[in-house]
Amino acid sequence: MADVSLRKVVKRYDEVEAVRGIDLDIADHEFVVLVGPSGCGKSTTLRMIAGLEDISDGDIMIGGDVVNDVPPKDRDIAMVFQNYALYPHMTVAENMSFGLRLKHYPKAEIKSRVTEAARMLDITDLIDRKPKQLSGGQRQRVAMGRAIVRNPKVFLFDEPLSNLDAKLRVQMRIEIKKVHQKVCTTTVYVTHDQVEAMTLADRVVVMNHGRIEQIGTPNELYHKPATRFVASFIGSPAMNFVPCRLEDVGGKLNVRLTDRLSFPLPPARAARYQGLSRTDKLLLGLRPEHVMEARPHAEPGIEPFDAVLDVTEPMGMETLVYFTLEGSQLCGRVNPNAGAQDGSPLRLAVDLNNMHLLNEVTGAVL
Amino acid sequence: MVDVAFQSSRTAAAQTGRRRAGLRNALRRKSMSAFLMTLPLILLIAVLVIYPALYSLHLATLNKAMTKFVGFGNFEFLFKRETFWLVVKQSCIFAISAVVFKALIGFIVAHFVHNVPANKQRKWRGMLLVPWVIPPAMSTLAWLWLFDPSYSAFNYTLAFFGLGPIPWTGDAMWARFSVILVNVWYGAPFFMIMYLAALKSVPEQLYEAAAIDGANWWQRIWYVTLPMMRNIIAITTLFSLIVTFANFDIVRILTAGGPLDHTHIFATWAFRVGIEGSDIPLGASVSLFMVPILAVAAIFILRDITKRGNES
């Protein structure tokens, strides 16, 4: 058990900077997920923590000790790889016990640890099989078992679920969470899937272009994104962005989307945005669930407007509607009984109590 | 080939109805047309391999003048000759030690080349394959000059350090060492290239997993590389063992079996007694003696491969 700290960590490949000065503190027992699009440096960061990549600059600390030049085997970590990386010529038990055997643990202790891990992961019956005789999900369990038996200071997961089909992925996600609840080991988990990140993490680290965009709990990231990138990356379907500007209408602050469409801001939001320039190019950010069918009676902050739907996607419990507003494609979530149909007009409403306002140039959430 | 087969079926169509139906049915079966398509190759193998093999079996049962059937007479004669047992011993020493060193050197060199950056690797691969590409008869001549007792580069260099001269091909032990050395020099690149291909097929993440599991470089080779390469090692070893056992040119050119038959192996001694000694049946018997030795090795190694084949 240990905390992990990264101080101004940089990774350079010849000309390219893959990781550009990352600062990150991971507390003991914490489950942290690094998430971002491919090429954002998240896997490189994980591999630097593991010691599989040298760091070009900065410090990495595990349990308070700087481990910059410590080889992987002496960092007391365990890693689960995307393609499992099980030794094909060893049985499940041999795979799981390999690290312990190299460290010359007593046979009885190895056996009890392997049995315990196998029981925890429900692979007791497979213990004598070779990896080839296992399904993808079973192999993933063995890979996790190999990490668990080592009882390391830190677990590292490198996109462990991306080779599994959708259904199994959901199942294994729950397994991973259960295992973490049982063993409580500090965990760093890399994924490009924001759903995995949101569901598993105590804290999520969103990365882009080798930098950290934002660190926060899943709810913080969802409701209070710091940048346009985070706002659009977290959440599915993604947040809508519409170019807009602020204007004063009769002593009240309005947000103008198009020549014909302008909404008065609710008092709390108006107070927050009062100081902004009226000429700045801004973006109105709205999650799809804050674009819904119009209600029969007015509610504060909920402003109706008319739209012509391009496409509708019935999901069962809701229907996603896509429409165009002055060149921007928007997505809304409406009640399946609201009568949304492809190509038909529908009266929708925006919930400005949950709006975000972004600087179009810098991408910062204001 | 298919066309030929089906054309011949058309020719047959002109024949009587019953025969036509029978032939067409036969051709309709996939196995039949497959057999017909491979027939030319089967015939070629029969002419070039099976016939000489059977003929040498036949030869081995004749007397020196090749006029009389003597059964196992030639073998009985061989078993009583000390030189024959010397040749058996030398063949085994030659083949086994050469193959072991070829495999060992090939494995080490393959590791070095594998760790060379990819853009320079092609150059190294090319250079290291040179010994294997030169016709061995030619390169052995060059080695013969290197080994020359009075003018050779080796002895000159040794003399410079106050050592030698070493009778490279004149003393029994040194001559054995020399033929093995040249064979290793010639054969190691083949192992290198096979092992390099095998090394490249080992997933990098297995090494990373092993590194995290606490394996040092030696344990990574022992627990990851070698088990992953087991099949290729077995196949190359078997293949090389067969080729090395049957080697002729290197020994023939370097020592011609001397001094006093102390470097003869099966092929060179068979040549000596069969062609130079004009006892072709006896030569055939000597060369036939390789078959059971190699067959046993082949069975053992190949059985091991099929047993493990479906593991990885």
Side-chain angles (χ1 to χ4, degrees), chain A residues 1 28-29 31 116-117 120 144 147-149 151-153 155 157 176-187:
Chain A
M1 306 284 155
D28 198 6
H29 306 313
F31 198 122
E116 169 62 19
M120 195 192 291
M144 276 166 59
I148 291 170
V149 294
N151 193 16
K153 283 185 192 161
F155 277 150
F157 288 87
I176 291 177
K177 200 154 190 173
K178 275 189 196 163
V179 166
H180 183 254
Q181 283 165 356
K182 277 181 206 155
V183 299
C184 280
T185 308
T186 313
T187 303

Side-chain angles (χ1 to χ4, degrees), chain B residues 66-85:
Chain B
M66 292 166 61
T67 50
K68 212 171 73 186
F69 178 80
V70 293
F72 289 109
N74 283 321
F75 290 100
E76 278 170 31
F77 174 75
L78 278 178
F79 290 163
K80 280 187 216 131
R81 284 189 65 176
E82 236 171 77
T83 321
F84 173 75
W85 294 111

